[in-house]
């Protein structure tokens, strides 16, 4: 049943591919093989997936507390900048000291930035949607300034707005030796991501704090009557959300770029919203949904290179698949045709 | 920094121009959410309105037809969202986000197919400016509102009309009831699903009009992704404006003013220090947060906003 | 959950069924067909283009590069392909994709890709690379020339200087609508390739017509036309008559402002006289398409040259576009003289802004 949804979506996409003059079958084969065909491809997909998992957790933990965190994008960037700044400034320090510093900087900066939105909501009732949307833009422009002709601009940046490189001690090493999978770039960030998923699950379902956050999410008034202060929990939840996103940014800097480039990270924060919702705000779900996006990102570029399908068409197909999965279109249409029936039995 | 740069006629006129597309998107958001449906796809509706408006203007050379086509495109996209959200009761946020991605990809794809290397034609039918001669002669006010585009005026009119509709008419009351208490509304005979459909379609129409304003009144061309997030700013304006049309307009004006300032202040200094242009660009966003934190505070969404509705007996 | 999982299982199964056993990365290799044939027909040269995050329709250099690629494909019978990068993380994998498939030439469009190109070029020493607007930059941030990489640099300041001469002459002599002796420019964001155009422009104005007022602004955006238009309207209200845009899509809005107020504009990167006939008086041309075209030809002819290559006035790599009829003959003459002087080295346009925002 669910496979039917996806196949339906791909079929609709095939129409577009045909209309643009290319062969859908070979295009889709490229899509799948690009994402999973060889071990190298799989590692590339994973690299795309890692920040999405973390950003997805960020949005998910906020949703669990009844908050809509549209700001994962800016929290990620803030974490990246902090990690990049600390990693460069103290780059001379050895790994065991430098890396934890960079880690704390990234997570902390993201958490602090998000906590602002949480505080404004708790203290002044400012809807977090407004604050986080605004924060997204503010951060982009501040980073432009920092890296183009501001304090963090690297002197030898050769016209690429970027920061100084981070010290070697802060770099996340590649975890698969070249002999096993040549040219792979898969870095230790994947371990951090898996750890984050475990932390997410543990905090939300195995600690009193997590219980309180979920209670606030399910009903703030009831929670308040049970003695849980929704306002402080709001701030804490946003801080945790920001911490996850900041970690994502830190990983991108220490695992992929090794410095902060201007204009990096296009849209993880937005994709993360869909990732969290598709994954029903649960640990495994977020991972799988992130994988879906990562596969599309990776497979999509192969589809462009080999089948000649344009990048915009790849987006269109991705959107249709997303829409269909989210809308559980076929499932629901068939369910309705069959008359009243517990929808829970399906999926 | 001079007064001229802060509140000169040029800045205020720019404020109106910049606020208009946001206000239209926000208006759409207000109608949809007042009926209980979250429409995140406003950005996508704006974009399809911008694109198909240009295509129609190119093919028919008629600005009226172009606007109609633009609004129809918005209605179609919103219609897809409506079916998913209302009929199929799927997650409204993901549906909206998926449609945004779809709209961006589709309009970019078609833009390349139709206008690939040449770009959109240079002499597109354009929505005219409205010159109000006697008004334009008035010293300060005339410069601000004497030469604004027809759609700017239309937006103000729409804000007033929809405000009256929602809060002073019976159909408006019904719509709000559907958004607050659908179960109770249905009990008194209001068609919940039909009302929501109309609301969502209307939101698509308004957002698309905002997009058409960008492509046919301002830019006179189409470039990929030209709406640049205005649909999302519109959502923020909607919340800022407490889900009322007039509130949404005020919020849009605050934002538009901040943006206008960010350009008029380029070159200004505070004492000896030149303000970096990138930081100036943060003005509208900072201003909005301050305004909401300082003056608006808590705003409450319609009670049934975003919750799919199950009608009785099916 | 289950649906996503099922999708992935399906995907993996299909992938395994179709391609399991391939060595790293050689997915449906386009060369397979050609190299399988026994007859010694020349394998078509393959050129791959990787754009930066601006996308192919950026009304700027990605688009120009693509034009060059398509022309080269047509004229030389090459097999070409393009990948649009969606985010910076994509640069390395996209370049690698072409390299792994043994493309003959992989072109990285844009200075943002300097580090990525360095990384991939080192890993694939047998594949030729070219970087538009840049040179390989190692992880420390320093330029490191590689034997398989051509660094294609443009002297935007020369193109800016040429159109600056046009603007200065018209402003000085109050030609047509240019009555206020004020000219201006707008950049997308304050980065060197953008600023170089405007630096040359300002240099020319100061040289040809020192009394002319010069204004400068930024839209801080390469896409948003409304923002570009507002910057333009602002500058026009301060008297600017000739608006030089260096802002891609946003610059189209800037030109729209000039059109609306009945003054003049100057286009950038490609010839933009058709964008607004009667308004656009000329354009500062950067022949990115020629760079792509020439480099592809060089690979085909075996004359590929690694290291720095400069595209400037001397080899027609930069220049000025068609002139609108309103541009008087003396302006054209002055510009042609400036062109000759730049070619001979008598004039070296500045690369740093004289008038800053």
């Amino acid at each position: 049943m669910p496979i039917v949804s996806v196949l339906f979506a791909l079929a609709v996409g095939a129409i577009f591919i045909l209309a643009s003059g290319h062969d859908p079958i070979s295009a889709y084969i490229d899509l799948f093989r690009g994402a999973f065909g060889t071990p190298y491809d799989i590692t590339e997909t994973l690299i795309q997936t890692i920040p999405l998992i973390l950003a997805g957790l960020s949005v998910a933990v906020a949703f669990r507390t009844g908050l809509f965190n549209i700001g994962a994008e800016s929290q990620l960037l803030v974490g990246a900048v902090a990690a990049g700044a600390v990693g460069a400034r103290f780059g001379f320090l050895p790994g065991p000291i430098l890396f934890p510093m960079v880690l704390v900087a990234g997570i902390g900066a993201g958490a602090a930035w998000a906590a602002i939105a949480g505080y404004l909501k708790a203290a002044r009732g400012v809807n977090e949607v407004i604050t986080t949307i605004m924060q997204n833009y503010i951060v982009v422009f501040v980073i432009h300034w920092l890296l183009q002709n501001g304090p963090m601009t690297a002197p030898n940046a050769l016209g690429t707005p970027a920061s100084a490189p981070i010290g070697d001690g802060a770099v996340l090493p590649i975890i698969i030796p070249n002999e096993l999978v040549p040219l792979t770039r898969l870095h230790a960030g994947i371990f951090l991501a898996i750890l984050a998923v475990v932390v997410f699950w543990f905090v939300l379902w195995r600690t009193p704090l997590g219980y309180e956050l979920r209670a606030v999410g399910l009903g703030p008034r009831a929670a308040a009557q049970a003695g849980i202060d929704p306002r402080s929990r709001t701030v804490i939840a946003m801080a945790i959300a920001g911490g996850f996103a900041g970690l994502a940014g830190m990983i991108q800097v220490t695992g992929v770029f090794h410095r902060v480039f201007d204009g990096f990270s296009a849209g993880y924060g937005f994709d993360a919203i869909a990732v969290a919702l598709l994954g029903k705000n649960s640990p495994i779900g977020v991972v799988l949904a992130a994988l879906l996006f990562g596969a599309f990102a990776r497979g999509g570029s192969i589809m462009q290179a080999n089948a000649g399908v344009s990048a915009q068409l790849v987006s269109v197909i991705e959107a249709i698949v997303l829409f269909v999965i989210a809308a559980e279109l076929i499932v629901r249409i068939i369910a309705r045709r069959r008359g009243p029936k517990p929808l829970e039995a399906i999926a | 920094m001079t007064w001229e740069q802060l509140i000169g006629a040029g800045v205020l006129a720019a404020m109106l121009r910049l606020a208009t597309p946001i206000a239209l998107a926000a208006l759409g958001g207000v109608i949809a959410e007042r009926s209980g449906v979250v429409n995140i796809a406003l950005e996508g509706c704006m974009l399809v309105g911008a694109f198909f408006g240009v295509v129609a203007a190119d093919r028919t050379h008629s600005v009226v037809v172009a606007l109609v086509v633009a609004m129809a495109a918005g209605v179609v996209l919103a219609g897809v969202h409506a079916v998913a959200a209302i009929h199929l009761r799927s997650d409204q946020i993901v549906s909206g986000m998926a449609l945004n991605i779809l709209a961006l990809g589709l309009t970019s794809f078609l833009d390349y197919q139709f206008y690939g290397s040449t770009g959109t034609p240079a002499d597109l039918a354009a929505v005219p400016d409205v010159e109000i001669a006697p008004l334009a002669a008035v010293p300060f006010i005339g410069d601000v509102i004497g030469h604004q585009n027809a759609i700017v005026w239309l937006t103000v009119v729409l804000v007033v009309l929809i405000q009256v509709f929602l809060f002073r008419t019976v159909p408006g009351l019904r719509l709000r009831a559907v958004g607050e208490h659908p179960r109770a509304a249905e009990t008194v005979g209001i068609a919940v699903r039909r009302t929501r459909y109309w609301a969502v379609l209307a939101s698509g129409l308004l957002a698309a009009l905002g997009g058409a304003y960008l492509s046919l009144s301002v830019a006179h061309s189409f470039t990929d992704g030209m709406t640049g997030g205005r649909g999302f700013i519109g959502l923020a304006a909607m919340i800022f404006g407490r889900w009322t049309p007039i509130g949404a307009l005020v919020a849009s004006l605050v934002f538009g003013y901040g943006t206008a300032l960010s350009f008029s202040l380029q070159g200004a200094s505070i004492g000896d220090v030149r303000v970096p242009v990138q930081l100036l660009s943060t003005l509208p966003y900072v201003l909005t947060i301050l305004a909401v934190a300082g003056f608006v505070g808590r705003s409450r969404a319609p009670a049934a906003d975003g919750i799919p509705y199950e009608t009785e007996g099916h | 959950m289950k649906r996503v999982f099922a999708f992935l299982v399906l995907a993996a199964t299909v992938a395994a069924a179709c391609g399991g056993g391939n060595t790293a990365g050689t997915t449906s290799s386009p060369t397979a067909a050609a190299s399988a044939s026994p007859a010694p027909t020349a394998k078509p040269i393959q050129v791959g283009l990787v754009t930066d995050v601006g996308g192919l329709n950026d009304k700027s250099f990605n688009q120009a590069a693509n034009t060059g690629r398509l022309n080269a494909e047509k004229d030389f019978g090459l097999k070409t392909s393009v990948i649009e990068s969606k985010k910076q993380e994509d640069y390395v994998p996209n370049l690698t994709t072409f390299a792994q498939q043994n493309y003959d030439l992989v072109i990285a469009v844009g200075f943002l890709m300097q580090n990525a190109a360095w990384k991939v070029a080192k890993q694939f020493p047998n594949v030729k690379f070219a970087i538009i607007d840049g040179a390989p930059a190692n992880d420390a941030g320093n330029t490191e020339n590689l034997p398989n990489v051509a660094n294609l640099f443009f002297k935007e300041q020369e193109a800016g200087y040429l159109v600056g001469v046009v603007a200065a002459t018209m402003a000085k002599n109050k030609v047509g609508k240019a009555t206020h002796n004020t000219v201006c420019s707008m950049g997308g964001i304050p980065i060197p390739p953008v600023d170089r155009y405007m630096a040359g422009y300002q240099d020319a104005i100061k040289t040809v017509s020192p009394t002319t007022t010069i204004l400068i602004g930024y839209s801080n955006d390469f896409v948003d036309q409304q923002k570009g238009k507002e910057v333009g309207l602002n500058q026009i209200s301060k008297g600017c008559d000739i608006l030089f845009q260096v802002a891609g899509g946003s610059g189209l809005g800037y030109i729209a402002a000039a059109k609306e107020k009945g003054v003049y504009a100057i286009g950038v990167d490609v010839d933009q006289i058709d964008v607004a006939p009667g308004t656009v008086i000329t354009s500062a041309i950067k022949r990115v398409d020629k760079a792509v075209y020439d480099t592809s030809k060089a690979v085909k002819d075996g004359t590929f040259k690694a290291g720095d290559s400069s595209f400037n006035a001397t080899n027609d790599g930069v220049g000025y576009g068609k002139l609108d009829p309103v541009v008087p003959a003396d302006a054209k003459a002055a510009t042609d003289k400036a062109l000759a002087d730049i070619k001979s080295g008598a004039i070296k346009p500045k690369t740093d802004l004289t008038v800053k925002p």
Side-chain angles (χ1 to χ4, degrees), chain B residues 54-99:
Chain B
V54 161
V55 173
D58 178 33
R59 299 286 156 91
T60 69
H61 301 289
S62 154
V63 98
V64 172
V65 173
L67 285 176
V68 168
V69 169
M71 292 191 282
V75 166
V76 167
L77 194 72
V80 176
H81 179 61
V83 169
I86 302 168
H87 213 71
L88 300 170
R89 297 194 286 276
S90 50
D91 188 298
Q92 297 174 10
I93 295 179
V94 185
S95 164
M97 308 235 40
L99 288 173

Side-chain angles (χ1 to χ4, degrees), chain B residues 218-236:
Chain B
V218 173
H220 306 295
S221 66
F222 179 83
T223 46
D224 297 354
M226 71 185 291
T227 48
R230 285 171 176 76
F232 289 98
I233 307 285
L235 283 175

Side-chain angles (χ1 to χ4, degrees), chain A residues 134-150:
Chain A
M134 298 296 136
Q135 283 180 316
N136 280 342
Y137 287 95
I138 294 175
V139 164
V140 168
F141 288 119
V142 170
I143 292 184
H144 277 337
W145 168 68
L146 282 175
L147 295 176
Q148 283 165 7
N149 44 28

Side-chain angles (χ1 to χ4, degrees), chain A:
Chain A
M1 194 68 74
I3 301 191
V4 174
S5 302
V6 175
L7 287 180
F8 171 75
L10 293 178
V12 173
I15 301 177
F16 282 102
I17 300 180
L18 266 176
S20 78
H22 296 105
D23 169 24
I25 305 292
S26 76
Y28 284 136
I29 291 178
D30 281 327
L31 182 67
F32 291 138
R33 274 166 54 173
F36 304 112
T38 70
Y40 173 78
D41 292 314
I42 295 180
T43 63
E44 281 297 317
T45 298
L46 287 175
I47 293 176
Q48 301 272 1
T49 306
I50 292 170
L52 284 169
I53 293 178
L54 288 162
L57 292 176
S58 167
V59 177
V61 77
F63 271 135
R64 284 277 175 188
T65 318
L67 299 164
F68 192 164
N69 181 17
I70 307 196
E73 186 80 11
S74 68
Q75 293 143 23
L76 187 157
L77 287 171
V78 166
V81 169
V86 169
R89 192 83 179 63
F90 301 104
F92 49 87
L93 292 174
I97 304 183
L98 183 60
F99 191 78
M101 281 173 69
V102 170
L103 189 65
V104 168
I107 298 179
W113 184 239
I116 295 177
Y119 173 75
L120 283 173
K121 170 131 196 197
R124 299 283 314 161
V126 179
N127 191 305
E128 71 279 8
V129 171
I130 301 182
T131 322
T132 50
I133 290 182
M134 298 296 136
Q135 283 180 316
N136 280 342
Y137 287 95
I138 294 175
V139 164
V140 168
F141 288 119
V142 170
I143 292 184
H144 277 337
W145 168 68
L146 282 175
L147 295 176
Q148 283 165 7
N149 44 28
M152 268 181 78
T153 311
N156 55 354
L158 304 161
T160 308
S163 70
I166 58 178
D168 287 334
V171 170
L172 280 171
I174 309 247
I175 56 171
I176 303 184
N178 224 18
E179 298 74 40
L180 218 53
V181 182
L183 300 178
T184 182
R185 305 182 304 140
L186 185 60
H187 50 79
I190 188 161
F191 297 136
L192 287 174
I194 296 175
L195 189 59
V197 174
V198 173
V199 167
F200 174 85
W201 164 78
F202 189 80
V203 168
L204 277 179
W205 281 277
R206 286 284 182 276
T207 66
L209 173 66
Y211 173 80
E212 289 175 358
L213 293 179
R214 287 183 293 122
V216 170
L218 288 169
R221 288 223 189 95
Q225 286 190 327
I228 305 171
D229 176 13
R231 287 180 308 172
S232 64
R233 298 305 177 265
T234 296
V235 180
I236 295 177
M238 285 304 291
I240 297 178
F244 279 121
L247 178 60
M250 175 254 169
I251 289 179
Q252 291 302 95
V253 167
T254 56
V256 178
F257 294 118
H258 307 157
R259 66 206 299 158
V260 188
F261 283 100
D262 189 20
F264 104 88
S265 177
Y268 285 129
F270 278 100
D271 287 343
I273 299 172
V275 165
L277 289 171
L278 276 186
K280 304 240 187 285
N281 300 322
S282 71
I284 304 292
V286 165
V287 171
L288 289 175
L291 255 174
L292 176 67
F293 273 85
F296 254 109
R298 167 62 189 170
S301 62
I302 302 295
M303 205 157 98
Q304 279 182 68
N306 293 355
V309 175
S310 81
Q312 293 82 21
L313 258 193
V314 175
S315 294
V316 167
I317 296 169
E318 186 176 344
I320 297 176
V321 170
L322 194 61
F323 183 78
V324 161
I325 294 181
E328 297 159 278
L329 217 53
I330 308 301
V331 173
R332 289 184 188 262
I333 288 178
I334 296 181
R336 291 176 69 85
R337 288 237 188 83
R338 291 202 185 140
K341 179 180 180 169
L343 280 177
E344 297 86 270
I346 304 168

